Amino acid sequence: MRKIKIMVVDDEHLIRWSLEQNLKKQGYEVFTAGTGEDALRLARDEQPDLVLLDYHLPGINGLEVLQRLKELDEEILVIMVTAQGGLETAVNTMRHGAYDYINKPFNLDEMALVIRKALETSELRREVVQLRSEHKKQGPPKILGNSKHMRNVLEMMAKVAKSDASTVLVQGESGTGKELVAKYIHYESARADKPFVAINCAAVPATLLESELFGHEKGAFTDAKNSKKGLFELADGGTVFLDEIGDMEIGMQAKLLRFLEDRTFRRIGGSKMIPVDVRIVSATNKDLLKAIEDKSFRNDLYYRLQVIPIFLPSLRERKEDILVLANYFIEVFSKEFGKPTKGISSMAEKLLVEYNWPGNIRELKNVIERAIILGNDENLLLENLPLEIVAKASHVTVPLTTFKLPPEGIDIEEVERELIKQSLEMTDWNQSKAAKKLNLGIDAFRYRMKKFGFLK
């Protein structure tokens, strides 16, 4: 791993030497310069990640060096070192691009802390830029569907994305792709360059959810050792996805409603009202109207959230999309795992379409991923599917009309023996699974195993 490069620029030899020794012990690669001119030459050659720059230098002063360093590399981190009382000078350098400043005489531990904070901030900025760049390349998530249900949903999503709608409510069973809808709306909108942040309201304890959403000030409660921005503040200009909104505690619902009214809030323990511009996309698999009757969900919050309602159909309501999705997942996982599978056998297709899919798209995705990992054929076969899918679609029978009895006849005992053998090989000689493949009880199956010499 490459070492972080730090350049120390100071006209005092003792300061240069002590900083160099201390920073090297911390694992940095360090080089030094006594003048601004030397610093600029070194910067061109060494391309440092961070510069500790004294303001008062012989020749060109620290401010001019700072400006020219920024011309060389706009992303370079510069921490100005100033004499006591040089606050106005320090602030001026920060206006010209310095990350921070520290006064002389300084404590080496304090200097180490400032450097570490600067490097961490720089790394976070790089990650944010990289993530945004990746999102731009990837664009919105792929949402597939040719059914009438999905064509209506896709049309609605496109309209919402281009609109100024500030609240959207996505309803549908678990596994239908509610978060994908939220991401599609975000990345197809004018907010695409701003953050998309998501939180599962059911996964965060009620006592912590307020802090996660609104943030808190230092000392607001026992563990609040530092101030913290909440998701609404972090996502300013972008989109916040509130998953499982139906599980939000009733007291927190009132606070969310208050925020939705004017898009301002206070951090916990704070007095300042903070305005933000965020689109709220909420999602739930619950019947919110029933929850309102049960007094577990606020009527006024429901109507505030569902300004734009989107209803996602279950997979069993859009059966014509099952094979479209299955083939897409086959393409994705075959490429990921380096497998040859390209399609689906006719019998596997029948079972996939007839199965009820209680887990919806999430379940279908998991089934295909497992089948690709375990299989190694050009087509996804019946034996690659989980037993529960085969069992629950047991009314789908093999089309025996495709079998033709040869003119010379056939020994039916040999056919039965071959079926027993194939079912055992298909299930790695698991007798229970093999018996179920032939729709036989375990005793009847074991009888035939003994009959044909497969069981002693």
Side-chain angles (χ1 to χ4, degrees), residues 54-56 80-87 89-90 101-105:
D54 188 26
Y55 186 86
H56 297 290
M80 298 301 299
V81 183
T82 66
Q84 281 282 13
L87 180 59
T89 300
Y101 67 90
I102 191 165
N103 288 320
K104 285 183 178 180

Side-chain angles (χ1 to χ4, degrees), residues 13 32 43 49 51 91 216 246 291 300 330 334 344 371 434:
H13 173 75
T32 65
D49 300 289
V51 179
V91 171
H216 61 254
D300 46 5
I330 285 172
S334 292
I344 310 172

Side-chain angles (χ1 to χ4, degrees), residues 14-23 25-26 52 102-103 105-116:
L14 186 58
I15 290 177
R16 292 200 306 273
W17 180 84
S18 61
L19 278 172
E20 182 180 15
Q21 300 307 307
N22 183 265
L23 293 171
K25 284 179 184 176
Q26 295 177 50
L52 297 175
I102 191 165
N103 288 320
F106 51 79
N107 178 286
L108 288 174
D109 290 338
E110 180 189 2
M111 177 67 83
L113 189 63
V114 172
I115 290 171
R116 190 159 60 247

Side-chain angles (χ1 to χ4, degrees), residues 264-316:
T264 62
F265 64 93
R266 292 188 186 93
R267 294 180 189 168
I268 298 174
S271 56
K272 177 185 173 185
M273 295 300 295
I274 301 171
V276 292
D277 169 27
V278 291
R279 172 181 271 163
I280 305 293
V281 181
S282 305
T284 182
N285 58 13
K286 287 191 170 182
D287 182 343
L288 291 185
L289 291 176
K290 187 176 184 304
I292 290 169
E293 288 179 16
D294 297 339
K295 308 295 184 187
S296 62
F297 202 83
R298 292 180 63 109
N299 184 58
D300 46 5
L301 178 59
Y302 171 73
Y303 288 108
R304 190 69 186 81
L305 290 173
Q306 69 119 34
V307 174
I308 304 287
I310 295 177
F311 295 90
L312 281 179
S314 64
L315 196 51
R316 62 186 170 275

Side-chain angles (χ1 to χ4, degrees), residues 192-219:
D193 288 338
K194 299 296 183 180
F196 173 91
V197 295
I199 187 168
N200 187 321
C201 300
V204 181
T207 51
L208 295 179
L209 187 57
E210 183 179 1
S211 173
E212 288 297 311
L213 294 177
F214 300 120
H216 61 254
E217 298 292 355
K218 182 179 180 181

Side-chain angles (χ1 to χ4, degrees), residues 240-456:
V240 175
F241 176 57
L242 301 176
D243 198 8
E244 306 297 355
I245 189 77
D247 292 290
M248 183 179 282
E249 183 266 333
I250 200 81
M252 188 63 217
Q253 291 178 31
K255 293 171 183 175
L256 176 61
L257 178 63
R258 195 178 308 123
F259 165 74
L260 292 174
E261 293 300 331
D262 58 9
R263 304 292 163 137
T264 62
F265 64 93
R266 292 188 186 93
R267 294 180 189 168
I268 298 174
S271 56
K272 177 185 173 185
M273 295 300 295
I274 301 171
V276 292
D277 169 27
V278 291
R279 172 181 271 163
I280 305 293
V281 181
S282 305
T284 182
N285 58 13
K286 287 191 170 182
D287 182 343
L288 291 185
L289 291 176
K290 187 176 184 304
I292 290 169
E293 288 179 16
D294 297 339
K295 308 295 184 187
S296 62
F297 202 83
R298 292 180 63 109
N299 184 58
D300 46 5
L301 178 59
Y302 171 73
Y303 288 108
R304 190 69 186 81
L305 290 173
Q306 69 119 34
V307 174
I308 304 287
I310 295 177
F311 295 90
L312 281 179
S314 64
L315 196 51
R316 62 186 170 275
E317 295 175 284
R318 44 183 290 218
K319 283 188 176 291
E320 54 264 65
D321 292 333
I322 291 173
L323 295 182
V324 174
L325 291 162
N327 279 297
Y328 170 71
F329 292 137
I330 285 172
E331 182 184 346
V332 169
F333 292 123
S334 292
K335 185 176 180 182
E336 181 177 342
F337 301 122
K339 291 298 185 82
T341 313
K342 302 295 181 190
I344 310 172
S345 71
S346 59
M347 269 309 299
E349 280 188 353
K350 284 177 182 284
L351 293 187
L352 291 175
V353 172
E354 291 299 321
Y355 182 60
N356 212 31
W357 298 107
N360 292 295
I361 300 171
R362 185 183 293 124
E363 184 183 7
L364 174 61
K365 181 181 178 182
N366 291 342
V367 164
I368 299 298
E369 182 177 8
R370 172 188 176 278
I372 297 299
I373 290 171
L374 298 179
N376 207 30
D377 298 285
E378 286 192 4
N379 283 326
L380 188 149
L381 304 174
L382 191 64
E383 58 263 32
N384 301 137
L385 298 178
L387 190 58
E388 63 267 20
I389 291 181
V390 178
K392 287 180 181 178
S394 59
H395 63 282
V396 182
T397 56
V398 179
L400 294 177
T401 52
T402 58
F403 173 75
K404 298 294 182 185
L405 184 68
E408 66 275 13
I410 198 168
D411 186 342
I412 198 165
E413 293 275 306
E414 281 300 312
V415 174
E416 190 175 7
R417 184 183 189 283
E418 182 62 24
L419 288 173
I420 296 293
K421 179 186 174 191
Q422 285 190 29
S423 66
L424 287 165
E425 289 174 345
M426 197 179 287
T427 58
D428 289 329
W429 289 73
N430 183 308
Q431 295 176 26
S432 296
K433 288 183 179 180
K436 284 180 180 177
K437 286 196 177 292
L438 298 177
N439 202 22
L440 289 172
I442 189 63
D443 291 336
F445 186 78
R446 286 171 64 85
Y447 165 76
R448 285 168 173 79
M449 284 183 68
K450 287 180 181 178
K451 176 181 173 182
F452 297 118
F454 296 117
L455 187 66
K456 301 300 183 188

Side-chain angles (χ1 to χ4, degrees), residues 53-212:
L53 177 60
D54 188 26
Y55 186 86
H56 297 290
L57 293 169
I60 58 175
N61 66 23
L63 181 60
E64 187 175 343
V65 174
L66 168 65
Q67 292 169 321
R68 288 166 67 174
L69 284 171
K70 286 290 180 179
E71 288 171 7
L72 285 173
D73 179 4
E74 191 179 348
E75 298 301 315
I76 195 169
L77 291 167
V78 180
I79 297 172
M80 298 301 299
V81 183
T82 66
Q84 281 282 13
L87 180 59
E88 187 177 339
T89 300
V91 171
N92 187 38
T93 60
M94 290 181 72
R95 288 199 192 101
H96 286 83
Y99 169 80
D100 204 348
Y101 67 90
I102 191 165
N103 288 320
K104 285 183 178 180
F106 51 79
N107 178 286
L108 288 174
D109 290 338
E110 180 189 2
M111 177 67 83
L113 189 63
V114 172
I115 290 171
R116 190 159 60 247
K117 183 181 173 186
L119 292 170
E120 286 173 357
T121 302
S122 176
E123 181 61 25
L124 283 172
R125 283 176 183 164
R126 272 196 294 270
E127 287 178 5
V128 168
V129 169
Q130 183 180 345
L131 283 170
R132 286 182 180 170
S133 173
E134 287 174 1
H135 283 312
K136 277 185 180 179
K137 289 177 192 172
Q138 293 170 1
K142 184 175 283 190
I143 298 179
L144 301 173
N146 297 323
S147 64
K148 183 180 177 182
H149 279 303
M150 281 310 296
R151 286 200 303 270
N152 291 338
V153 169
L154 288 164
E155 185 180 340
M156 173 71 81
M157 285 160 48
K159 287 179 179 177
V160 172
K162 301 304 179 189
S163 76
D164 295 325
S166 59
T167 53
V168 182
L169 179 61
V170 186
Q171 297 177 79
E173 293 180 9
S174 184
T176 49
K178 296 185 287 294
E179 185 165 353
L180 283 182
V181 170
K183 286 181 177 178
Y184 182 96
I185 289 171
H186 174 75
Y187 290 112
E188 280 289 295
S189 74
R191 299 174 181 270
D193 288 338
K194 299 296 183 180
F196 173 91
V197 295
I199 187 168
N200 187 321
C201 300
V204 181
T207 51
L208 295 179
L209 187 57
E210 183 179 1
S211 173
E212 288 297 311

